[in-house]
Amino acid sequence: DAGVIQSPRHEVTEMGQEVTLRCKPISGHNSLFWYRQTMMRGLELLIYFNNNVPIDDSGMPEDRFSAKMPNASFSTLKIQPSEPRDSAVYFCASSSRRGITGELFFGEGSRLTVL
Amino acid sequence: GNSVTQMEGPVTLSEEAFLTINCTYTATGYPSLFWYVQYPGEGLQLLLKATKADDKGSNKGFEATYRKETTSFHLEKGSVQVSDSAVYFCALNVGGGTSYGKLTFGQGTILTVHP
């Protein structure tokens, strides 16, 4: 079975450019999470969706960040404009209410470098 | 609020040594507790879990016991291998309603095992 698929795996961009990260959750999973990982701050939850509806976006750093989930099989995280401090690994994860509570399945991450 | 505190890393061990990574938590309600592992270049994956007090989670030779009286969930392994080198995250979930999949993670502990 395919796991959580993220793209791109690596992105290098210049400050001020728009960045779009994509995620395809595991089929049948109804929750989707976006995390950011940095050395300084560790793993931070940015936003999560249940049944395509954003439930908690309190972790989104600022208005430059936005996330959408137009359907059950696709989500995007957009940064516009990007800044060097946005450099991090961004993980998408999904889970199913029918599975183990708290078991998240993570993608391999998108490593973003903003110059 | 909910929080997880892990022992400071990094931890460096020789192969076949005994491993303990401490984890304590603060939670409202009755959390489920988890250990996730992140191998280099990969996303996090569930290692083990415990859903109620005195439960012991185990997997791949790793164990952790849910201690409500000390609010702890320490990870142990009797004999580590080089392949165990990874970052280990303790996490909790206070489930129910729309937050059943939302995890609070500790800061992670880097483990390096030398031959």
Side-chain angles (χ1 to χ4, degrees):
Chain A
D1 290 340
V4 175
I5 299 173
Q6 292 186 245
S7 64
R9 290 295 311 278
H10 301 275
E11 174 91 7
V12 180
T13 190
E14 293 189 345
M15 182 173 63
Q17 296 298 306
E18 178 179 294
V19 173
T20 299
L21 307 178
R22 298 172 177 82
C23 176
K24 176 179 170 56
I26 293 173
S27 178
H29 283 192
N30 57 345
S31 292
L32 183 140
F33 304 79
W34 282 102
Y35 283 88
R36 177 171 69 176
Q37 185 179 40
T38 62
M39 289 294 293
M40 291 298 296
R41 301 172 70 91
L43 203 61
E44 303 172 277
L45 176 64
L46 300 178
I47 185 172
Y48 77 100
F49 298 83
N50 279 348
N51 297 319
N52 313 338
V53 177
I55 301 300
D56 183 352
D57 65 355
S58 60
M60 296 286 262
E62 49 197 274
D63 291 345
R64 298 185 297 106
F65 285 69
S66 62
K68 294 182 179 179
M69 192 165 186
N71 57 61
S73 59
F74 184 66
S75 177
T76 59
L77 178 67
K78 185 175 293 186
I79 308 172
Q80 167 63 19
S82 58
E83 296 182 3
R85 60 193 168 119
D86 301 331
S87 297
V89 181
Y90 291 81
F91 287 103
C92 176
S94 69
S95 70
S96 168
R97 183 180 280 276
R98 289 187 296 275
I100 300 170
T101 297
E103 180 173 18
L104 271 59
F105 293 81
F106 282 78
E108 294 184 320
S110 294
R111 181 175 295 277
L112 173 64
T113 302
V114 183
L115 303 174
Chain B
N2 301 324
S3 67
V4 176
T5 302
Q6 292 181 229
M7 67 184 288
E8 292 285 332
V11 174
T12 302
L13 297 173
S14 297
E15 205 164 27
E16 299 184 1
F18 184 86
L19 168 71
T20 300
I21 300 177
N22 290 338
C23 170
T24 57
Y25 68 89
T26 302
T28 56
Y30 299 96
S32 294
L33 301 173
F34 306 84
W35 278 100
Y36 276 78
V37 58
Q38 183 181 26
Y39 297 104
E42 298 183 10
L44 282 72
Q45 56 187 275
L46 180 65
L47 179 61
L48 56 83
K49 68 172 180 64
T51 58
K52 62 183 186 297
D54 299 326
D55 266 4
K56 178 185 284 187
S58 61
N59 186 26
K60 299 181 181 180
F62 291 89
E63 294 183 338
T65 301
Y66 189 142
R67 300 289 188 199
K68 185 178 178 182
E69 63 276 13
T70 55
T71 62
S72 65
F73 192 55
H74 305 322
L75 182 69
E76 296 182 336
K77 186 174 186 182
S79 176
V80 294
Q81 305 299 312
V82 172
S83 57
D84 294 327
S85 298
V87 183
Y88 292 81
F89 293 88
C90 187
L92 68 82
N93 168 250
V94 182
T98 57
S99 64
Y100 65 86
K102 182 179 178 182
L103 293 175
T104 300
F105 283 95
Q107 68 270 38
T109 301
I110 300 172
L111 170 66
T112 302
V113 180
H114 292 297

